[in-house]
């Protein structure tokens, strides 16, 4: 039966697939769907399928590892006509997981739910650059702590496609300080899809 859950799933597959495939050979929307469904990420439909907020970090990491595990059997034909293994890094898997949950859960009317407050924003260049440029945090007294945490994360890496867990964790820790009491997903107020300004 085609219902709103399936409708949201298809939209979230498309959006997450487009987002995580940046310069990623073999990372197509069809592969994204395979990773999402084989990892059972698609079984998350409402906040009832999420853990309590204090368990969310571990839950997200588990989903990321499940996506990476689902990528291991996948092969694709590269530009040289060779069949090669798909390389799904931790950074690429986090983008797929977090974009999928953003589109299917956060943007589906559940944004004020306590569990949803703890969902991670998808990390990418646009958001990271905005974080590097930001001089204001939710609570003014946390600015120094935030800048220190962000500087630490930056030393570990700046290219989201190759992030390992340590680098990802460091950025999420900095974003938690940045957000203060605001929902973690709402750090994306800094994200802007208009990467290039159009001339008048």
């Amino acid at each position: 039966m085609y219902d709103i859950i399936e409708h949201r799933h298809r939209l979230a597959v498309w959006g997450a697939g487009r987002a995580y495939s940046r310069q990623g050979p073999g990372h197509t929307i069809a592969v994204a769907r395979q990773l999402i469904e084989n990892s059972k990420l698609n079984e998350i439909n409402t906040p009832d399928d999420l853990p309590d907020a204090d368990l969310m970090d571990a839950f997200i990491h588990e989903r990321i590892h499940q996506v990476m595990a689902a990528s291991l059997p996948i092969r694709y034909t590269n530009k040289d006509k060779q069949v090669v293994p798909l390389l799904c890094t931790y950074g690429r898997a986090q983008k797929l997981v977090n974009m999928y949950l953003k589109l299917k859960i956060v943007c589906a009317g559940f944004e004020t739910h306590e569990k949803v407050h703890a969902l991670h924003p998808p990390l990418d260049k646009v958001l990271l650059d905005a974080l590097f440029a930001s001089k204001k945090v939710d609570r003014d007294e946390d600015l120094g702590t935030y800048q220190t945490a962000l500087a630490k994360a930056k030393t570990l890496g700046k290219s989201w496609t190759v992030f390992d867990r340590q680098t990802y964790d460091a950025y999420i820790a900095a974003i938690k300080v940045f957000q203060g009491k605001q929902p973690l997903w709402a750090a994306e107020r800094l994200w802007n899809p208009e990467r290039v300004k159009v001339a008048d």
Side-chain angles (χ1 to χ4, degrees):
M1 180 181 74
Y2 190 79
D3 58 11
I4 192 61
I5 297 294
E6 177 63 17
H7 194 60
R8 283 165 42 211
H9 168 61
R10 292 185 187 187
L11 175 63
V13 164
W14 176 81
R18 292 277 295 172
Y20 100 117
S21 64
R22 297 286 180 213
Q23 300 176 352
H27 291 278
T28 63
I29 292 175
V31 169
R33 182 173 193 153
Q34 189 175 351
L35 294 176
I36 287 164
E37 294 179 354
N38 289 356
S39 69
K40 308 298 185 191
L41 184 62
N42 61 304
E43 294 181 2
I44 302 170
N45 295 315
T46 73
D48 291 339
D49 301 317
L50 297 172
D52 290 339
D54 61 336
L55 300 175
M56 190 62 73
D57 291 350
F59 179 81
I60 294 295
H61 286 304
E62 185 179 344
R63 303 287 83 69
I64 292 169
H65 283 295
Q66 287 174 344
V67 164
M68 293 173 72
S71 76
L72 295 177
I74 298 177
R75 302 289 182 270
Y76 73 99
T77 304
N78 68 13
K79 63 181 180 181
D80 298 320
K81 309 295 185 192
Q82 298 171 316
V83 178
V84 296
L86 182 73
L87 176 61
C88 187
T89 62
Y90 196 93
R92 205 174 286 283
Q94 70 79 23
K95 185 73 174 290
L96 187 69
V97 169
N98 292 326
M99 273 299 296
Y100 183 81
L101 295 176
K102 167 187 171 179
L103 293 168
K104 194 175 185 189
I105 304 295
V106 179
C107 294
F110 300 116
E111 71 280 358
T112 61
H113 195 285
E114 182 181 355
K115 292 180 179 180
V116 176
H117 278 211
L119 283 176
H120 295 184
L123 301 188
D124 63 14
K125 185 179 188 308
V126 176
L127 180 60
L128 296 181
D129 285 350
L131 287 166
F132 298 148
S134 181
K135 304 298 182 195
K136 186 163 179 58
V137 296
D138 184 44
R139 297 179 296 203
D140 291 341
E141 64 270 22
D142 291 338
L143 181 60
T145 304
Y146 164 69
Q147 290 173 331
T148 300
L150 189 62
K152 176 185 174 184
K154 198 172 180 179
T155 64
L156 296 174
K158 293 186 286 184
S159 179
W160 66 268
T161 59
V162 295
F163 279 179
D164 57 16
R165 178 171 176 169
Q166 181 184 13
T167 308
Y168 176 81
D169 281 345
Y171 278 104
I172 293 299
I175 291 170
K176 285 180 178 180
V177 178
F178 178 80
Q179 284 300 96
K181 294 181 179 180
Q182 298 184 57
L184 197 57
W185 62 261
E188 285 202 293
R189 67 184 182 277
L190 298 179
W191 185 86
N192 189 334
E194 299 171 3
R195 295 187 174 101
V196 179
K197 291 185 178 180
V198 178
D200 292 333

